[in-house]
């Protein structure tokens, strides 16, 4: 009898977990265990993360800050879900808006008080994402892949690029409630929609980097879903 293994999802917020966890449990094969690790933010934009330490930071996340006792051999794989946050758009599409109290994402670009700070963030995040894309093992020997929602999770799942924080949980729970008894509908939505990037893994990342695709409504999450459907 095959030994039960762990599929660990590293996600930026609780809404990723609320939206996807129960649905994905239906697709992970052989009763393997799903664990969602919510990091409460984007580690590729964190001030204390850089190219030198990002892999060790991910390893620490996998270990649960020392609380999780699984060995590398206990994991089937680690899946990292990231928001694109329009990180690959042209600098020409970053606009100054002194009334913006945070970064504002619109179909034509990013609006912010300080354009230079956005450029600096984007350059850092691009560098870290490119490093993660070249990484296929973490925590010594655990398979690792990173998938995107663009511009963010709500943009893909609900076609809303900006959602108030207090509404995000409602949207997430409504999504899960809608599809928990309609798994075929969930698969069809993710794999056969206008936002589906129907390419191989590397090509899907090449696509989101082009032009201003990283602010448009796209995901390559379908690649992961199809992999498990074909198990």
């Amino acid at each position: 009898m095959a030994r039960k293994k762990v599929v660990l999802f590293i996600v930026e917020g609780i809404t990723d977990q609320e939206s996807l966890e129960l649905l994905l449990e239906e697709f992970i094969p052989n009763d393997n265990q799903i664990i969602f690790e919510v990091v409460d933010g984007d580690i590729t934009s964190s001030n204390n993360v850089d190219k030198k330490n990002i892999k060790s930071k991910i390893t620490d996340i996998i270990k649960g800050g020392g609380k999780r006792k699984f060995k590398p051999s206990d994991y089937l794989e680690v899946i990292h879900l990231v928001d694109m946050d329009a990180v690959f758009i042209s600098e020409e599409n970053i606009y100054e808006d002194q009334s913006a109290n945070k970064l504002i994402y619109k179909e034509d670009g990013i609006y912010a008080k300080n354009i230079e700070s956005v450029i600096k963030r984007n350059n850092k995040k691009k560098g870290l994402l490119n490093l993660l894309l070249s990484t296929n093992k973490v925590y010594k020997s655990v398979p690792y892949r990173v998938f995107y929602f663009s511009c963010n999770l709500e943009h893909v799942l609900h076609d809303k690029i900006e959602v108030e924080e207090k509404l995000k949980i409602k949207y997430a729970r409504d999504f899960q409630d809608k599809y928990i008894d309609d798994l075929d509908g969930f698969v069809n939505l993710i794999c056969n929609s206008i936002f589906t990037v129907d390419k191989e893994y590397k090509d899907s990342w090449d696509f989101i980097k082009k032009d201003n695709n990283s602010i448009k409504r796209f995901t390559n999450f379908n690649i992961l879903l199809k992999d498990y459907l074909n198990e």
Side-chain angles (χ1 to χ4, degrees):
M1 183 175 179
R3 183 181 178 185
K4 186 175 182 179
K5 291 202 172 188
V6 174
V7 180
L8 179 69
F9 285 82
I10 299 174
V11 296
E12 296 184 5
I14 190 63
T15 53
D16 299 78
Q17 183 174 12
E18 291 281 354
S19 298
L20 300 171
E21 183 176 27
L22 294 183
L23 297 171
L24 292 174
E25 285 178 350
E26 301 296 324
F27 297 98
I28 302 300
N30 301 322
D31 296 321
N32 290 312
Q33 180 182 1
I34 281 184
I35 295 177
F36 268 69
E37 183 68 30
V38 180
V39 297
D40 291 323
D42 176 9
I43 65 172
T44 61
S45 297
S46 175
N47 290 331
N48 64 349
V49 177
D50 56 31
K51 289 182 179 180
K52 294 179 180 178
N53 67 9
I54 189 167
K55 291 183 182 180
S56 64
K57 293 285 187 182
I58 288 175
T59 296
D60 192 50
I61 291 169
I62 295 170
K63 292 179 178 179
K67 298 177 182 178
R68 195 173 291 125
K69 302 303 181 183
F70 297 119
K71 303 184 298 294
S73 59
D74 293 325
Y75 289 92
L76 184 64
E77 70 173 327
V78 169
I79 302 298
H80 191 173
L81 304 184
V82 298
D83 293 345
M84 276 292 91
D85 295 326
V87 69
F88 289 102
I89 66 168
S90 167
E91 292 182 7
E92 297 176 354
N93 294 100
I94 303 172
Y95 305 103
E96 182 178 342
D97 181 352
Q98 288 300 314
S99 68
N101 294 321
K102 62 174 186 176
L103 298 188
I104 297 174
Y105 300 95
K106 297 183 180 181
E107 296 296 335
D108 61 338
I110 300 175
Y111 290 74
K113 283 185 177 180
N114 189 320
I115 291 177
E116 289 302 318
S117 68
V118 179
I119 293 172
K120 182 178 179 181
R121 182 212 68 162
N122 285 0
N123 287 337
K124 175 181 178 178
K125 182 166 179 169
K126 283 188 286 188
L128 292 179
L129 283 174
N130 285 329
L131 177 60
L132 293 179
L133 289 174
S134 66
T135 301
N136 55 26
K137 301 283 185 182
V138 290
Y139 190 18
K140 299 179 181 179
S141 60
V142 181
Y144 168 90
R145 288 184 289 174
V146 56
F147 297 91
Y148 59 79
F149 291 93
S150 184
C151 178
N152 50 51
L153 180 77
E154 288 77 24
H155 194 193
V156 172
L157 298 187
H158 307 286
D159 197 15
K160 293 183 181 294
I161 198 169
E162 289 281 349
V163 176
E164 293 181 33
E165 287 296 324
K166 63 183 180 181
L167 291 177
K168 287 185 177 183
I169 287 291
K170 181 183 184 303
Y171 276 46
R173 290 173 177 168
D174 287 349
F175 182 84
Q176 181 178 265
D177 290 345
K178 178 178 180 179
Y179 288 109
I180 194 63
D181 294 318
D182 183 17
L183 296 176
D184 288 341
F186 171 65
V187 171
N188 186 58
L189 175 76
I190 299 299
C191 297
N192 299 299
S193 292
I194 58 172
F195 55 72
T196 303
V197 180
D198 189 17
K199 298 179 182 292
E200 297 297 320
Y201 180 72
K202 181 181 180 301
D203 292 338
S204 74
W205 276 99
D206 290 341
F207 171 84
I208 206 66
K209 294 177 185 180
K210 288 181 180 178
D211 304 320
N212 285 332
N213 287 342
S214 63
I215 201 167
K216 298 177 182 178
R217 190 187 180 201
F218 291 114
T219 185
N220 64 348
F221 190 65
N222 50 291
I223 297 171
L224 175 70
L225 200 56
K226 285 183 177 180
D227 284 348
Y228 283 116
L229 285 170
N230 292 329
E231 287 283 339

